[in-house]
């Protein structure tokens, strides 16, 4: 490569910008047919700094593509039953095409109970059991946003997954579990799933043609844990103290980028990799939900 790098950066920010342009054009077309623009609602409980930053990013993205958005903020003290009442109202609000409940929620509120109250055809994060299960059906519905963002990034860089060995490190409900299913179902890959009970993690990660990591432990994957030519997808986002930054922290992924990048063929940066793709994926789901509601 001209700049001396041996690897290609999987530039999620650039791809997300392309996707947003495509969505903006579709919104324009909808409006020119006399239809309304898609409407995304976001529920934010409490004042967690990271959550507010993520929500700001989502609101900005809605504005960029011409979606209507509603931000509904509630105090940390809101009860679970009261939050459910608001969710039921949104479920029945004909103007809202899709909505998300920003995680994490305060400890007294059950994420599982809240998620299952969201109407599946408005669940644009793709968290409900209905949408999660549709991954393995012939007719996938609203696919989980982060995994779908990963699959879209692989597609846009023409990275073939068919028959390749994908090793997924992390098996959470929002990232690792659905992504491993999507890689096997849509990607027709051979998939190994690793989690915190996996013995000798490195013996698995070294086998990976495509290594995907969603754990939340900065620098967990080091150069000695990957083979030459590996494709690396780093989903992890952690704030680590950094006195050099005005904010007092910097954002790190689960992969030791400087060590691993020279051995890889393709690698995502953090930030600027899967984060922007997750937002793009949320917008794609909202557009899909709106189109299916046929306003
Ligand atoms: P999570 O719910 O805490 O899940 C972490 C997963 O990692 C679990 O499956 C856990 O195993 C596994 N794990 C923990 N320690 C491990 C180890 N030493 N080796 C292998 N696996 C290990 O977290 P999450 O919600 O999936 O998030 C993971 C990371 O991705 C976080 O940094 C989060 O901020 C980031 N994230 C980013 C985006 C994005 O848009 N880029 C979206 C979602 C999440 P067990 O299942 O056995 O507990």
């Amino acid at each position: 490569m001209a700049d001396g790098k041996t690897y290609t950066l999987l530039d999620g920010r650039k791809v997300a910008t392309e996707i947003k342009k495509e969505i903006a054009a579709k919104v324009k077309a909808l409006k020119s047919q006399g239809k309304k623009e898609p409407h995304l609602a976001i529920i934010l409980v409490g004042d967690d700094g990271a959550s507010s930053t993520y929500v700001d990013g989502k609101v900005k993205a809605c504005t960029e593509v011409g979606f209507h958005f509603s931000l509904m903020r509630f105090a940390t003290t809101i009860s679970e039953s009261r939050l459910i009442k608001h969710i039921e109202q949104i479920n029945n609000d004909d103007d809202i095409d899709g909505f998300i409940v920003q995680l994490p929620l305060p400890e007294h509120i059950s994420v599982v109970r809240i998620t299952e109250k969201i109407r599946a055809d408005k669940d644009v994060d793709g968290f409900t059991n209905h949408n999660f299960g549709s991954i393995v059906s012939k007719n996938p519905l609203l696919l989980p946003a982060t995994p779908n963002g990963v699959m879209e990034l692989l597609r846009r860089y023409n990275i073939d997954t068919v028959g390749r060995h994908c090793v997924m490190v992390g098996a959470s409900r929002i990232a690792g579990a659905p992504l491993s299913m999507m890689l096997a179902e849509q990607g027709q890959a051979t998939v190994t799933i690793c989690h915190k009970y996996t013995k000798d993690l490195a013996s698995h990660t070294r086998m990976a043609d495509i290594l995907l990591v969603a754990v939340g432990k900065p620098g967990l994957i080091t150069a000695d844990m990957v083979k030459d030519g590996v494709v690396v997808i780093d989903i992890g986002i952690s704030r680590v103290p950094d006195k050099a930054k005005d904010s007092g922290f910097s954002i790190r992924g689960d992969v030791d980028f400087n060590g691993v990048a020279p051995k890889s063929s393709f690698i995502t940066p953090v930030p600027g990799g899967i984060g922007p793709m997750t937002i793009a994926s949320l917008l794609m789901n909202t557009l899909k939900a709106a189109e299916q509601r046929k306003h």
Side-chain angles (χ1 to χ4, degrees):
M1 244 150 264
D3 57 5
K5 280 184 192 152
T6 52
Y7 57 88
T8 300
L9 209 57
L10 294 170
D11 190 340
R13 200 167 276 144
K14 190 176 110 210
V15 173
T17 302
E18 284 164 20
I19 293 172
K20 282 190 276 188
K21 277 190 190 142
E22 293 161 15
I23 294 175
K26 286 183 185 160
V27 173
K28 238 181 170 176
L30 279 177
K31 288 175 84 174
S32 70
Q33 292 160 22
K35 295 177 182 157
K36 77 170 196 69
E37 68 274 8
H39 181 175
L40 174 71
I42 302 175
I43 291 183
L44 176 60
V45 181
D47 47 18
D48 175 69
S51 293
S52 297
T53 309
Y54 293 140
V55 166
D56 288 348
K58 291 168 187 176
V59 167
K60 182 167 169 272
C62 282
T63 316
E64 282 168 11
V65 298
F67 284 3
H68 184 50
F69 72 87
S70 303
L71 176 55
M72 301 165 185
R73 302 190 76 123
F74 299 101
T76 320
T77 49
I78 189 171
S79 66
E80 185 176 299
S81 57
R82 186 115 201 103
L83 188 58
I84 288 174
K85 285 221 166 70
H86 286 289
I87 289 174
E88 282 163 353
Q89 269 171 16
I90 302 173
N91 280 340
N92 294 323
D93 184 334
D94 241 4
D95 194 68
I96 296 175
D97 298 298
F99 71 104
I100 63 167
V101 179
Q102 182 66 40
L103 301 180
L105 289 170
E107 269 181 16
H108 65 277
I109 299 178
S110 155
V111 173
V112 174
R113 275 196 295 270
I114 290 296
T115 304
E116 286 311 311
K117 291 292 174 194
I118 299 174
R119 228 173 82 170
D121 62 346
K122 291 191 178 192
D123 166 32
V124 286
D125 256 338
F127 285 169
T128 56
N129 287 339
H130 193 75
N131 286 325
F132 185 89
S134 83
I135 295 172
V136 291
S137 81
K138 291 271 173 282
N139 180 26
L141 302 170
L142 296 171
L143 291 169
T146 298
N148 202 32
V150 172
M151 297 301 287
E152 188 65 23
L153 189 65
L154 292 171
R155 279 191 286 269
R156 298 234 174 188
Y157 276 89
N158 295 315
I159 295 172
D160 195 10
T161 50
V162 179
R164 297 184 82 191
H165 188 181
C166 295
V167 176
M168 178 75 242
V169 185
S172 74
R173 183 67 163 74
I174 64 165
L179 180 52
S180 48
M181 283 161 65
M182 286 167 76
L183 287 161
E185 279 294 318
Q186 301 166 5
Q188 295 176 302
T190 302
V191 183
T192 298
I193 305 172
C194 302
H195 43 70
K196 72 171 176 248
Y197 300 109
T198 298
K199 295 190 177 86
D200 192 5
L201 181 63
S203 69
H204 297 279
T205 56
R206 276 191 212 111
M207 306 266 286
D209 299 320
I210 303 177
L211 177 65
L212 309 103
V213 195
V215 172
K217 295 211 162 117
L220 174 72
I221 305 296
T222 48
D224 58 313
M225 295 171 75
V226 300
K227 71 177 180 188
D228 285 331
V230 64
V231 175
V232 181
I233 303 289
D234 189 354
I235 298 161
I237 298 178
S238 302
R239 287 179 168 200
V240 295
D242 185 346
K243 286 189 187 131
K245 294 270 160 93
D246 290 343
S247 59
F249 64 85
S250 40
I251 300 293
R252 292 264 316 274
D254 289 340
V255 176
D256 167 25
F257 184 91
N258 291 336
V260 171
K263 289 183 81 176
S264 65
S265 52
F266 294 87
I267 186 166
T268 51
V270 178
I274 301 308
M277 288 304 297
T278 295
I279 295 187
S281 187
L282 175 69
L283 298 175
M284 291 193 285
N285 268 350
T286 305
L287 180 66
K288 185 173 175 182
E291 285 173 343
Q292 284 173 349
R293 284 162 54 75
K294 295 192 184 76
H295 284 289

